[in-house]
Amino acid sequence: VPVIVLASLALTSCRSSRSSGAPVPAGGPVAMVRDPVPTQRLVPAPTSLTVAGGAPFTLRDSAVISVGSDNPALMPDAELLAGVLRPSTGFPSQVVMGNEPPPGSILLRLASTGMGSIDAYQLTVRPERVEITGSDPAGVFRGAQTLRQLFPANIESHMRITGPTARWVVPALTISDAP
């Protein structure tokens, strides 16, 4: 009942503004604007988050999770992430070794994050690739957990999601964090 009342009020408000000559918001009378970066879902809040703007990253069935060639210690983190993505997406989310994964993939690697802390990570999301760089394997793990939170909530489903809610999109951004 409360939802119907709110919708009714929104429609009444739009009709009133139309008939009064007031401008109608872009996108139609009942435009819903969704925050492109679900920062309220990020727990804990990261030290730094910069929205890049532009096109988001879209996870597709051809995506692989690549572990840097010189970082075999990250294979368990890659398998864990793949284990989260596979059930809800139905994608194979193959885990491979290599520094240059194909477009649309996720790369996990160890390198300095510039934060001078153990467990630090940088998560960079671009339309062509997601890259999680950790100062150590724990940092990569933390970055992968943040990536999980950036996907729509139904990424955590243990059953395949189909239809219009099966959009696996993450906004273009960079997150740096350290505990």
Side-chain angles (χ1 to χ4, degrees):
V1 176
V3 173
I4 294 170
V5 171
L6 289 175
S8 176
L9 288 173
L11 290 173
T12 302
S13 168
C14 289
R15 271 188 242 126
S16 297
S17 64
R18 240 190 216 166
S19 61
S20 68
V24 175
V30 195
M32 296 289 194
V33 178
R34 184 174 167 217
D35 180 7
V37 181
T39 54
Q40 69 279 8
R41 291 195 316 225
L42 297 180
V43 178
T47 304
S48 168
L49 186 154
T50 305
V51 177
F57 171 81
T58 301
L59 185 69
R60 302 188 191 292
D61 63 353
S62 59
V64 299
I65 300 172
S66 182
V67 172
S69 298
D70 51 346
N71 304 136
L74 299 179
M75 288 301 281
D77 294 310
E79 288 294 346
L80 184 64
L81 181 58
V84 169
L85 301 178
R86 287 177 185 138
S88 57
T89 65
F91 301 160
S93 299
Q94 182 182 5
V95 175
V96 300
M97 295 286 291
N99 294 322
E100 289 300 321
S105 296
I106 300 169
L107 174 63
L108 309 181
R109 65 188 191 97
L110 294 175
S112 173
T113 60
M115 296 192 73
S117 173
I118 60 170
D119 297 356
Y121 71 89
Q122 182 169 345
L123 169 63
T124 305
V125 180
R126 298 289 176 262
E128 66 280 356
R129 170 164 76 183
V130 171
E131 190 170 315
I132 301 172
T133 303
S135 60
D136 56 14
V140 172
F141 174 80
R142 291 175 191 274
Q145 300 315 301
T146 300
L147 177 62
R148 287 174 64 177
Q149 294 178 60
L150 289 167
F151 276 110
N154 56 3
I155 197 77
E156 300 291 333
S157 176
H158 297 288
M159 296 173 25
R160 184 171 183 196
I161 306 295
T162 59
T165 60
R167 294 198 59 229
W168 313 113
V169 177
V170 177
L173 52 74
T174 300
I175 292 176
S176 297
D177 197 18

